[in-house]
Structures are given as C-alpha cells and as structure tokens.
Amino acid sequence: MSAVVSAAIAAASAISAVPVMTVSAADNNYYEALAMSLYMYDANACGKGITDGPLKWRGDCHTYDAQASVGELDGSLKSAVDPDGDGKVDVSGGFHDAGDHIKFNLTIGFGISSLAMSDYLNPGVYEKAGCKDHLIYELKWGADYLMKTTFLDNSGNVAAIAHVVANGVEDHAIWSAPEVQTYARPIYWLTANKNNSAVCCEMAAGLAGTAYVVKESDPDYSAKCLKYAKALLEFGQKHVGNEGGGLSDYYGTEAQYQDEEALAQAWLWINDAGSKPTRVPKNKDYGNSQYDGWVYCWNKVWQGYSAMMYKATDDQTFADELKVELQSQGDLKVGTYNADGWGASRYNCAKQMDALALAKGDPDAEYAKAAKYQMDHILGDNSLGYSFLLGYGTKWPVHIHHRAANPGTDANGASSNPSAKYTAYGLLVGGDDKSGYQDQTDKYQYTEGALDYNGCFAIACAGIANLYGGDASAMDALAKSASEINESFKFGNDENNTTNTETATVTTTTTSVTSSSVTTTVTTTEAPLITITLMPELIVQEVISYPSKTVYTTGEELDLSGVSVKARYETRWFEAEGSRAGTMYSDSKIYENITLYPENAIIRKDKSTWLYGNKFSTLEPGDYTVEYTSDASTSKGERIRFNSFRFPITLKADSGIPQYSDVITVKDKETGELINNATLTFSTHIVYEIDGREVFTGPVYRYNTADANPVIYNYAKYKDAKSHSISDIFAKADGYTFVEVMEDIRDGGTPNVTYLDVLMVKGNADIKGDTNLDGQVDMADAVLIMQSLANPNKYGVNGTDEKHITQQGIDNGDADGNGLTNNDAQAIQKLLLGLIKSLTTT
C-alpha cells in the first residue's frame, strides 16, 4: 500500500488493540535469525522449480504465467516482446509480493537490493552465518525474473517492461494456496510513453546489487545483471514518468524518482560500472529539496543511499545526515521500541540500519546497543513473548495473513482466523507498534509480511549478527527437524546443507515412541547408512464420540464440540541412500474435547449441494450430513490429523429471531425498499478474558442479500465473552452507493437483539464523505482529505495531480460544516470502523 494509506489505516487500527510494553533485552542467536529469514523468499517464490525446493510445503505455481497474454501493447513494441507473434509472453517466476500473489517489480527490486545491501554493509556475515549460497540463490531468483520481464530491443535498449503481473483487486478476492490457483493474471506494461521511473531505477538497483554479491562467484552472471541495470537506469532517466497501471492503491509511487536513481547509480559505481553519484545530503536535502523525511522503504530509499555511500566513502557528511534523519524519526534508544504504523517491524529495522551505520562496527557504541535492543524485541524479548520472525524461538504469531502458509478452506478464506497450516520460517510480520498487537488473520497490518519487510530485516539483522554473532549451526539443526524445510536441498555449493556420512554406521535400530517423543537406540557396525526421520504426526484412528449437538434451529452456528477420539503418533522414516522405509507408532491414547473448526467442515444436502460449515447459519430447514476431513486441535493445542468422518444433523425452522442477534437490513435510504442484490460485509470484535489477560478474536462475515434480507447474525456462542460488537459494516450493490448505517429500535420483545439499517442511494449521488467522487465512502476519501491539506499544490482544488480534490469533493468531505479539516478524515475512519453511525453524528 502507499505510504499515506498505510499511515492512515495504521492510525485507525489503534482502536481496541493489545498494548505491548517493552522488557529488558537478552542475547539472541543472530546468525540463526539471519539464515532463517532467507526462507521467506522461498515461501513467496512463484513459477517452476519450487517443487522439491527449499520448502516441502511449497510447490510450482502460476506456471501459466509462462503463457501470459501480451495484452494491450503498442504494435511497434510487440516484435521485441513477442517475436513469434503468438500473442503470448513468458513472465513466469519471481516472487509474490506479500501474503497475496501479485508480482511487483518495484518490491522485487527493493527486496533484492536490500538483501545485497545487507551483504555489502556487513562483509562476510553471510559466510559466518553459513548461508551465503542461500543468499545468492534468492538474489538470482529475483534477478532472473527482473531480467526476464525487461525486454530489450536489438540495440540493447529497453523496449518494454512487464512490471506487474496479476490484477490486485481480483487477486485479493481469492484466498487459496497459489499452487491451486487458475485465475487470469494480466500484465501491466511500462513503455517509453507510459513509464514509471521509480520502478525502473529500483529494478536497476536490485540487479546491480546482485551483480556486486556474485561478481566473484559468477562473473558472467554479474556482467549480465549490470547490462540490464544500466539499460533500466537509462530508460528511467530518458523517459521520465509515474505510470501507476497495476500499482493501483497497493504501491502508488510519487513523481519523485531521484532517490531510486541515486541508489542505482551508487550500486553501479560500487561495481566499477558507473560514475560516482553526485548527490550529497545536508539537513534533509539531497538537492532541490528532494527529501520528505520518510524512513527507508520500498518508495523512499534516500537513507539506504546514505548508508551505502557512508560505507563506500567514509564521508562524515553522510553519517551526519543519517543521524539527523534518525533523530527526526524518534531516534533509537535502549529500553524503548520505536515502531509505529502498518508493518511497524520493517520500519524499525530500517531505523536500525541508520543506527548501525552510525555505530561503525563498534558493538559498545550506544547506537549499536540501541539497535540490538530493537532486534531483540522483534525476536521475542517483549511482553507477549512473540518472535515476529516466524519460526524463531519458541513462540510466534500463528494467525498470519499469508495465503500460501494459511490457505483456509472456505469462500471467505482465512477470515475465520484459523491457525496457519504451515510455519512460514523466516517471514517477518508487521508485529506490534504503539497501539499494541492483534494476532488476527484479517489484521494484516500486524500479521502480514512482504518482500520489503524481509529486505529491511536482512539489513538490520546482518548488522547485528556482524557485531554480536551467534551459533551458525543452529539453523542447520532446525532444518533437520522442521517438517516444512527440505534440509537436503543444496543452495549452489553450500556444503552446510549436506549430511555428513563419514561416521554414520548403522546395522540395527530399535525404536520406542511415546505421545510426545521418539527414542532411538543404535547399534553400530562399519556399514554406512543415513536414516532420515520425519516429525511425528498425531493421527486419529477412531472417532469415539461425535459432536453432541445434532438438532439446530435456523440461524444458529455449527457446534462441533464434544468430539473424542483414539489417536497415536506416527513417525515416518526412510534411508536417504537405501531402499528401506517405514513408520514407527506410539501407543494409542484417548483424546477428549477435540477442537474442530466449522470452516473446515462440509455440510451436504445431497451429492451436488454443499457448503462450508461457517455458512451453516444461512441454511434452510432440512436434514444434512456433516463431513470433516481436516486437522483439529487437542485440548493441549497439539495438531491432530483426521481422516474423513461424517454424521447427520437436523435443521428446524425458527419461529422468531433468536436472542443474541444482529438483524441487518439493506435498504434504499430514500424509498425504504429492500435492496436484494447487495453484498453485505462486516467485522466482529469479541473480547475474552483468560488468566487475567484480554484475548481478541474477530472474523469477517460476507452475505448476499439475495439469500436473505434482513441478514440475521446470531452470536449466541459468544454470549459469555467479555464483550461483543460488530464494525466495518459495508454494502455494495449494482446501481447503488453505500451511505451509512443507522440503528433502529423496534418492538417485538426479543431480548439481546439489535436492528441495524444499512442505507444506500441510487446512482453516484453527492454523498457525505465521498471526497474522491467515486460513489462510495471508504479509506481513500480520508486519505485524499489529508493529502489535500498536507500538499495543496499537488492535491488541492487546483493541484497538479490528476486525482486532486474538487470543490464538490470538499463539500462532500466537510462532514461537520466547519470547513475541511483532518477531523473530517477522522470521522470517515470512525464511520468505517463502526464507531459512529453517520458522518452527521461526529
């Protein structure tokens, strides 16, 4: 998302969050954390060559990108892009950007440039951590894609760039693993007439950074990267533009591209492939007032440029600038975690980069200690005990916003907030900020990761590891035991990932297995043998008791409690270089009160009619069969794997509205008529108190009013919670525009029932709050208000930006009648969060 939108939503998300206090920092294994972080890129890999790769749970995906439609492109360019004229072009490979599956060359370029920078600023640290070949593997995966999607003409000049693959709106509407997806993935092009200079220069920086890292190990590949980097830089400088096609609201760049240009020039100079950059900063000015105070990130790389130039030149001017910028961003000190906004951890890591550059290799420097304190907080030394680098330590967030690791099984994806199916080792999530932290799948500002997050983490962690070290063998040991990691995969010439066979001699193995451990006794002879043992899995053998509730009333939620099973641990093993394989079994044990997840159940009426269990409350009366084939959890939180089982249920008609219900009617504000072609969405917010601590949960629900209007949402299963509320109520319908939500008091005498009217109007009327005149009120309207006030020359009534505010937009946005102010932007955010019912009640 753009920086402005990120800041606005992060501010709005501060409501009802768990405060996170800082605690004293302790030493961590920084080599392990650095090596682990590289697996994030494997988790987000796209294309062929993923199956049997570094991660067992990932496989080849979106391979049909190799036959993508050329789409709309000037005919004069098609000979360079599509020489055989079949209308197809190969844009397979690369990295998914975040927890979704779009590919942005902007963030791929930033990601690999940052990885390369982490190596350049800290020479030898990846060798010390035992993962240099893994670093090169990821850099080449990204660089291969950037070069593949850059089409050169016969003169070696850039003809066109396929800079975005997949439509963001369509992609975000699908929650499933990338391996099973088949949706259309269009290409968005950059050309001389429609260029984005920031994207070109970011790609050039990534390629030149890769060239630097591999120049000794693979000089031919390094030279190829430099060829493309020079062509891209020249293309961005010659055809200056800020084309946003494909970037949309996700990574909206600004017209200023000189920071990316300077970074690319610095990389080329360091590679002896270009002139020394001329920009030298002074007091937040890199020339022509080109700096806006923003931290190092995907769209603002001035501070990365200064850190590199300080390393390359030892010019104190760059150090002075980094100090000024860091202090203006809150500075770093021991005892205080400095992070705020959407994806706060990556911003904190960017600030660590500045502090580490200023520490200049001295582990006793105050800035080094301050950076270490920040890193320790991220790695788990905080009051929650969470490591925000997934897989590091003993506890990390599990309700993550990542479709590959947490694919979900229903039409709403992971909105029901399940635990992730896989641990995405090395993925840095947004983590906590000043507002706290919420471990919820749909709170992506806290629980999602992205290429730029891990790029910033690599720079910070490499610097900390260079100063404070760690145990380089720990990641190899973890790879051998983690079910998600293919520890036998070799990255290039990396001998750290091979099994030492010199002393492995086995003839007889006797094994005993308990419910939580595997004990192996080995008698040795001289015959070499390598036995690989996988992690034990708890497998259900028999269902002893089925869910106790079998008769329901319409509108109720599915209740799968009361299940008991007999299960045992099963541990598979095989010989790496032999022919034997087998399974070891523990004794069977009874497990009571198993937790099954409704969203993983299938409700069948007949062979052709079915839906997922979290839609159960929408069903009509009748007899149904419940099938369950997914994982569940024991009372101790252990994952337990089911084979299929089924049982019958009966659904009876309800004579009235049950207690603990919200009755939501979507209607025309002017006529009162029901609107039965609308999609209604809202979020729930449930608070429990467990062991004196508040725990939050909150699924997002989506209904179609063609099925029912009003929609009855029953929350009886949450009636004993400390509190329950709904927010983010929104409706969408062809020919209508959402206006507001009003609470209505009606008779009927049903206790604990709330009536809400979702009001819409026909057409794109002049609507309060609709500042951008798109016919609806959403976060974009709040952002435009703040932009127009902060930068009137660009976004005001007479602003230069094509999406500047209009006088009608000002009239719409002035909710309180006191002129357009930030209070109006805050009112829109409150409306969207359900804190107010109308913009007229601010």
Side-chain angles (χ1 to χ4, degrees):
M1 292 289 186
S2 67
V4 176
V5 174
S6 301
I9 295 183
S13 300
I15 300 165
S16 301
V18 182
V20 178
M21 305 301 292
T22 54
V23 296
S24 59
D27 284 335
N28 280 283
N29 188 345
Y30 306 112
Y31 286 161
E32 180 187 16
L34 181 63
M36 186 183 295
S37 72
L38 294 173
Y39 282 100
M40 177 271 174
Y41 297 90
D42 301 307
N44 277 45
C46 184
K48 296 181 180 179
I50 302 172
T51 302
D52 297 325
L55 297 177
K56 295 178 181 179
W57 56 278
R58 283 300 323 280
D60 293 353
C61 68
H62 301 129
T63 54
Y64 57 94
D65 284 351
Q67 294 291 318
S69 170
V70 172
E72 295 184 9
L73 194 63
D74 294 342
S76 60
L77 299 174
K78 288 189 176 179
S79 59
V81 169
D82 180 25
D84 62 4
D86 67 351
K88 304 293 184 182
V89 64
D90 183 0
V91 291
S92 60
F95 294 112
H96 301 141
D97 173 60
D100 43 55
H101 302 131
I102 319 168
K103 295 187 291 191
F104 296 102
N105 283 12
L106 178 69
T107 55
I108 294 174
F110 177 86
I112 65 173
S113 174
S114 297
L115 278 180
M117 194 184 302
S118 70
D119 182 66
Y120 173 73
L121 296 175
N122 304 281
V125 70
Y126 282 94
E127 290 86 348
K128 295 174 188 175
C131 57
K132 182 62 176 283
D133 280 333
H134 194 172
L135 170 70
I136 292 174
Y137 176 87
E138 305 303 349
L139 288 172
K140 285 187 172 181
W141 190 282
D144 283 347
Y145 180 76
L146 293 183
M147 290 188 284
K148 173 186 279 191
T149 53
T150 301
F151 295 86
L152 305 181
D153 61 22
N154 293 331
S155 301
N157 299 316
V158 174
I161 304 166
H163 80 120
V164 177
V165 174
N167 177 277
V169 174
E170 183 174 0
D171 176 90
H172 278 54
I174 301 169
W175 192 292
S176 59
E179 289 81 359
V180 302
Q181 291 178 344
T182 58
Y183 70 101
R185 293 165 61 82
I187 297 173
Y188 295 85
W189 293 97
L190 297 181
T191 64
N193 295 326
K194 292 175 61 177
N195 197 21
N196 188 305
S197 297
V199 174
C200 295
C201 295
E202 198 78 82
M203 292 172 64
L207 288 170
T210 300
Y212 175 83
V213 176
V214 305
K215 65 180 179 180
E216 299 296 334
S217 62
D218 196 342
D220 290 340
Y221 190 85
S222 177
K224 182 181 178 182
C225 288
L226 290 175
K227 170 188 173 182
Y228 275 82
K230 290 178 182 177
L232 283 161
L233 176 60
E234 181 180 353
F235 189 71
Q237 293 171 320
K238 183 177 181 181
H239 305 289
V240 175
N242 188 35
E243 165 63 24
L247 296 174
S248 187
D249 292 329
Y250 304 102
Y251 291 101
T253 55
E254 297 181 359
Q256 184 183 124
Y257 67 94
Q258 286 79 4
D259 50 333
E260 290 88 357
E261 175 189 44
L263 185 64
Q265 290 171 331
W267 271 123
L268 289 171
W269 174 58
I270 289 168
N271 276 285
D272 296 322
S275 301
K276 180 180 178 181
T278 59
R279 292 187 180 266
V280 178
K282 184 176 181 180
N283 196 25
K284 300 184 184 180
D285 187 352
Y286 284 80
N288 299 321
S289 300
Q290 287 176 344
Y291 183 67
D292 63 357
W294 197 254
V295 69
Y296 176 74
C297 70
W298 56 268
N299 192 35
K300 296 294 176 183
V301 296
W302 281 125
Q303 290 179 43
Y305 168 75
S306 280
M308 284 184 61
M309 292 300 289
Y310 183 39
K311 176 77 174 179
T313 66
D314 203 29
D315 185 339
Q316 186 62 31
T317 304
F318 291 102
D320 293 342
E321 182 61 29
L322 287 172
K323 188 172 183 179
V324 167
E325 295 177 10
L326 180 58
Q327 289 178 343
S328 71
Q329 292 161 2
D331 215 348
L332 292 188
K333 297 178 182 178
V334 173
T336 302
Y337 181 58
N338 178 359
D340 203 14
W342 187 331
S345 61
R346 46 89 183 256
Y347 291 139
N348 178 272
C349 288
K351 295 168 187 175
Q352 288 184 53
M353 174 188 72
D354 295 355
L356 290 164
L358 293 168
K360 207 174 182 181
D362 180 6
D364 294 322
E366 290 304 311
Y367 267 132
K369 295 176 183 177
K372 178 180 180 296
Y373 179 89
Q374 313 298 311
M375 180 58 66
D376 287 335
H377 180 104
I378 290 172
L379 294 179
D381 293 334
N382 53 66
S383 63
L384 290 176
Y386 277 143
S387 165
F388 296 113
L389 184 76
L390 302 189
Y392 181 86
T394 59
K395 181 182 178 184
W396 50 83
V398 295
H399 302 105
I400 64 169
H401 191 92
H402 193 276
R403 289 161 173 79
N406 192 4
T409 56
D410 62 25
N412 291 329
S415 62
S416 51
N417 208 38
S419 297
K421 186 175 182 180
Y422 308 103
T423 296
Y425 282 91
L427 175 72
L428 179 72
V429 297
D432 62 303
D433 63 7
K434 293 176 182 177
S435 69
Y437 178 73
Q438 298 182 54
D439 189 18
Q440 293 180 215
T441 307
D442 56 355
K443 298 295 184 182
Y444 34 81
Q445 61 267 47
Y446 303 111
T447 57
E448 189 173 20
L451 297 176
D452 62 306
Y453 290 26
N454 268 67
C456 292
F457 179 86
I459 296 174
C461 191
I464 298 294
N466 215 22
L467 293 178
Y468 302 105
D471 178 3
S473 67
M475 187 61 231
D476 284 342
L478 176 62
K480 289 178 173 66
S481 63
S483 61
E484 287 88 348
I485 297 176
N486 181 5
E487 58 93 12
S488 63
F489 184 82
K490 296 179 182 179
F491 299 99
N493 299 316
D494 190 354
E495 296 302 323
N496 294 327
N497 292 284
T498 62
T499 305
N500 186 344
T501 62
E502 293 180 1
T503 60
T505 57
V506 178
T507 56
T508 306
T509 302
T510 58
T511 305
S512 62
V513 184
T514 68
S515 63
S516 59
S517 64
V518 178
T519 305
T520 304
T521 304
V522 180
T523 304
T524 63
T525 68
E526 296 303 318
L529 180 67
I530 305 170
T531 301
I532 297 176
T533 303
L534 303 181
M535 292 292 288
E537 291 185 289
L538 186 56
I539 309 295
V540 173
Q541 297 171 276
E542 178 185 351
V543 178
I544 296 173
S545 64
Y546 290 90
S548 53
K549 186 174 178 64
T550 58
V551 179
Y552 291 79
T553 302
T554 53
E556 288 187 292
E557 302 286 345
L558 184 64
D559 183 354
L560 298 180
S561 61
V563 175
S564 298
V565 300
K566 182 168 70 173
R568 66 185 179 186
Y569 277 89
E570 300 181 7
T571 306
R572 289 183 295 145
W573 63 272
F574 59 92
E575 294 176 357
E577 299 177 2
S579 59
R580 295 190 303 166
T583 303
M584 300 177 290
Y585 302 98
S586 71
D587 293 332
S588 298
K589 179 181 175 182
I590 302 298
Y591 293 83
E592 298 180 340
N593 298 319
I594 299 299
T595 300
L596 280 69
Y597 304 102
E599 65 270 13
N600 293 340
I602 293 176
I603 315 298
R604 290 193 182 275
K605 180 74 170 176
D606 51 47
K607 290 184 178 180
S608 61
T609 305
W610 64 274
L611 49 66
Y612 288 110
N614 61 334
K615 296 289 189 180
F616 179 73
S617 62
T618 66
L619 286 174
E620 298 293 332
D623 294 324
Y624 297 89
T625 299
V626 179
E627 296 180 6
Y628 198 87
T629 60
S630 187
D631 290 354
S633 298
T634 69
S635 59
K636 294 183 178 180
E638 303 162 286
R639 179 175 293 178
I640 185 167
R641 197 175 79 193
F642 274 84
N643 293 316
S644 178
F645 78 88
R646 62 180 61 190
F647 64 97
I649 58 173
T650 299
L651 184 59
K652 296 182 177 180
D654 183 23
S655 58
I657 298 171
Q659 290 190 51
Y660 308 105
S661 293
D662 290 310
V663 181
I664 309 172
T665 305
V666 183
K667 61 173 62 175
D668 188 309
K669 182 177 181 179
E670 304 298 331
T671 66
E673 295 177 356
L674 298 183
I675 301 173
N676 294 327
N677 65 332
T679 300
L680 172 70
T681 58
F682 57 85
S683 301
T684 59
H685 190 73
I686 304 103
V687 181
Y688 290 95
E689 190 168 307
I690 300 177
D691 296 332
R693 184 168 68 90
E694 288 188 346
V695 178
F696 297 80
T697 185
V700 174
Y701 292 91
R702 179 179 287 107
Y703 295 91
N704 192 325
T705 57
D707 299 326
N709 192 8
V711 169
I712 300 175
Y713 163 64
N714 181 258
Y715 56 93
K717 67 179 181 179
Y718 303 125
K719 65 185 177 64
D720 296 325
K722 186 174 180 180
S723 67
H724 174 274
S725 61
I726 66 172
S727 61
D728 301 330
I729 303 171
F730 185 76
K732 214 174 167 183
D734 291 340
Y736 285 90
T737 300
F738 170 78
V739 179
E740 60 187 340
V741 179
M742 300 292 289
E743 184 172 351
D744 189 10
I745 301 175
R746 306 180 190 176
D747 56 10
T750 306
N752 301 305
V753 174
T754 301
Y755 294 89
L756 298 170
D757 287 339
V758 178
L759 303 179
M760 308 184 76
V761 295
K762 287 185 177 179
N764 296 328
D766 298 336
I767 304 163
K768 276 296 179 186
D770 181 20
T771 58
N772 60 8
L773 306 182
D774 66 351
Q776 61 184 13
V777 179
D778 54 24
M779 185 57 68
D781 298 303
V783 171
L784 182 57
I785 291 174
M786 292 186 286
Q787 288 176 322
S788 67
L789 296 172
N791 190 355
N793 290 335
K794 186 173 183 179
Y795 295 105
V797 173
N798 299 311
T800 57
D801 191 271
E802 63 180 0
K803 295 183 179 179
H804 67 79
I805 200 168
T806 65
Q807 186 58 53
Q808 182 62 59
I810 291 176
D811 294 341
N812 288 358
D814 182 13
D816 56 15
N818 295 326
L820 195 66
T821 68
N822 280 325
N823 290 336
D824 297 307
Q826 293 175 8
I828 291 173
Q829 295 176 51
K830 290 179 180 179
L831 175 71
L832 297 175
L833 290 169
L835 300 179
I836 59 175
K837 303 301 181 184
S838 167
L839 289 177
T840 60
T841 59
T842 59

